[in-house]
Amino acid sequence: MTYAALRSIGAYAPEKLLTNEDLSKMVDTSDEWITKRTGIKERHIAADDEHTSDLGVKAAQKALDRSGIDKSEIDLVVCATISPDYFNMPSTATIIAKKLGLEGVTAFDISAACTGFVYILSIAKAFIESGMKKNVLIVGAEKLSAITDYSDRGTCILFGDGAGAAVISATQNKEEAIIDVHTGADGTYADLLMTPNGGTGSPHDALEGETGACYMQMKGNETFKVAVRTLTKDVVEILENNNIKSEDIKHFVPHQANYRIIKAVGDALKMTEEQVVVTVQKYGNTSGASIPMAINDIYEEGKLQKGELLLLDAFGGGLTWGSALVPFSPL
Ligand SMILES: CC(C)(COP(=O)(O)OP(=O)(O)OC[C@H]1O[C@@H](n2cnc3c(N)ncnc32)[C@H](O)[C@@H]1OP(=O)(O)O)[C@@H](O)C(=O)NCCC(=O)NCCS
């Protein structure tokens, strides 16, 4: 039996910072309100000439360098993004592959919003376990500042830019294997979080090129409630299905959207503060990049050791959700 193993992690956050103080000069808000309601203090914002693929390349290069696998061995690149370099085509994955010198390698994007990283993890696992691919580079990359309406205080305080990447490789060693990835979606709640304009669902706006055609819109309060409910249910299920208890988890890495959501889910699972990884205060919500950026933080802080079990949990527009049980298995 061939299994899939998480070999390495990498991430990149652009240099420029957007603080709560900065935002309070742009919209009617305050550091106190944002901190209390979200836990966010600052986010990183890409430069005008820095595209989503550029962020992805920097994260991917780190993951490749740390993987011990030569880039010529990579046979699939998958990118999760809702802020691609170009809408529809070419995919951001093909641009990342080109910039990394991985020419000729199969590459495509997926759209699962903030659950993107868990979705691409499941794709890598399936391709590897089926024997179709051996070494998959997965990248979550977002330039959300490009699709954020900085006159809407309900959304602009939440989002930031960044990228995270991982190399997933075939192994025969079951101890190294990704244990389970669980994903789901429900389009009933599509209107909670969406970019309503710019696609064929609203061709008029797309043709008119109205201002804000591609901005995100969100029903924040309803999204909050569904997020807590869905994230908790999903993670309880994956633990039960695999006969794993909360205390067996070394690092719980939830999607970083709002500290209050993270705290509510962590408390429901009876996780200790040491188990729950929180980075939302410094990056805000970076959608598909948030989980690998958080894993990269604990890796660079020396807190992530070989063999330790990660529990991932994500929720996002669609609605989509997903969770994963993943031992860190560097070569
Ligand atoms: C967006 C969010 C922080 C708003 O917090 P909330 O506690 O739900 O606040 P509400 O939307 O109920 O608004 C409460 C009040 O604060 C106001 N408000 C909203 N944004 C504000 C801001 N940035 N600064 C100050 N006041 C703000 C509202 O206008 C409202 O005022 P009112 O009571 O006079 O009508 C919160 O709903 C949230 O984080 N939602 C989930 C977002 C998320 O995770 N999205 C991504 C999922 S992947």
Side-chain angles (χ1 to χ4, degrees):
M1 170 82 188
T2 298
Y3 303 100
L6 169 64
R7 291 295 186 215
S8 66
I9 193 82
Y12 171 73
E15 259 174 52
K16 188 180 158 194
L17 290 178
L18 181 66
T19 65
N20 291 350
E21 291 298 340
D22 296 331
L23 282 163
S24 66
K25 290 176 194 136
M26 297 157 66
V27 287
D28 182 13
T29 191
S30 64
D31 174 44
E32 192 198 351
W33 194 95
I34 302 171
T35 306
K36 196 168 155 217
R37 300 288 180 118
T38 71
I40 302 168
K41 298 297 284 184
E42 60 192 21
R43 332 91 195 105
H44 293 247
I45 302 294
D48 287 347
D49 61 354
E50 209 173 14
H51 307 306
T52 299
S53 63
D54 297 317
L55 312 182
V57 163
K58 287 190 173 138
Q61 190 62 61
K62 272 197 195 170
L64 281 170
D65 292 345
R66 292 168 177 168
S67 69
I69 292 160
D70 192 87
K71 73 176 187 183
S72 63
E73 304 288 312
I74 299 291
D75 46 11
L76 174 63
V77 180
V78 191
C79 178
T81 186
I82 52 165
S83 49
D85 284 18
Y86 304 100
F87 279 104
N88 307 323
M89 62 182 169
S91 71
T92 303
T94 58
I95 300 169
I96 290 173
K98 160 78 182 157
K99 288 178 178 171
L100 288 169
L102 304 172
E103 282 159 61
V105 170
T106 307
F108 59 88
D109 289 357
I110 66 110
S111 168
C114 302
T115 316
F117 189 75
V118 178
Y119 268 59
I120 54 180
L121 190 67
S122 76
I123 291 167
K125 181 174 182 285
F127 267 96
I128 289 170
E129 288 177 354
S130 71
M132 279 183 74
K133 303 290 178 190
K134 287 196 168 54
N135 297 294
V136 183
L137 174 64
I138 56 174
V139 187
E142 299 289 9
K143 185 173 176 176
L144 296 180
S145 59
I147 58 167
T148 297
D149 179 356
Y150 285 100
S151 66
D152 172 16
R153 68 177 183 174
T155 53
C156 73
I157 57 156
L158 298 171
F159 299 103
D161 301 338
V167 174
I168 314 294
S169 292
T171 179
Q172 306 303 317
N173 180 355
K174 196 173 179 189
E175 304 246 303
E176 294 183 334
I178 295 172
I179 297 169
D180 198 6
V181 187
H182 182 204
T183 52
D186 184 356
T188 314
Y189 297 100
D191 68 338
L192 285 190
L193 250 170
M194 68 191 313
T195 50
N197 302 321
T200 57
S202 58
H204 177 73
D205 288 336
L207 289 173
E208 294 289 307
E210 286 181 5
T211 310
C214 292
Y215 288 157
M216 289 181 280
Q217 289 181 13
M218 183 182 67
K219 295 179 180 162
N221 198 270
E222 287 169 60
T223 306
F224 187 97
K225 288 175 200 151
V226 184
V228 173
R229 207 167 55 230
T230 310
L231 283 163
T232 308
K233 181 173 178 286
D234 195 42
V235 97
V236 164
E237 268 173 25
I238 199 169
L239 288 173
E240 278 178 9
N241 290 350
N242 292 282
N243 221 358
I244 290 173
K245 302 209 169 345
S246 288
E247 55 263 36
D248 301 329
I249 303 299
K250 180 72 184 180
H251 304 284
F252 174 46
V253 191
H255 168 51
Q256 308 286 315
N258 181 319
Y259 178 69
R260 289 191 293 141
I261 298 177
I262 296 170
K263 177 91 171 70
V265 179
D267 287 353
L269 294 170
K270 299 195 169 52
M271 293 275 181
T272 64
E273 252 177 52
E274 289 67 41
Q275 284 174 295
V276 184
V277 178
V278 182
T279 58
V280 72
Q281 71 283 3
K282 52 180 177 171
Y283 302 129
N285 181 347
T286 57
S287 191
S290 93
I291 287 180
M293 287 175 82
I295 301 173
N296 183 71
D297 265 31
I298 54 170
Y299 174 80
E300 291 191 348
E301 287 161 12
K303 291 184 192 157
L304 179 59
Q305 306 301 324
K306 187 171 181 156
E308 287 180 354
L309 187 57
L310 297 156
L311 171 62
L312 316 182
D313 194 15
F315 168 89
L319 296 180
T320 55
W321 60 87
S323 53
L325 284 162
V326 186
F328 183 54
S329 306
L331 281 172

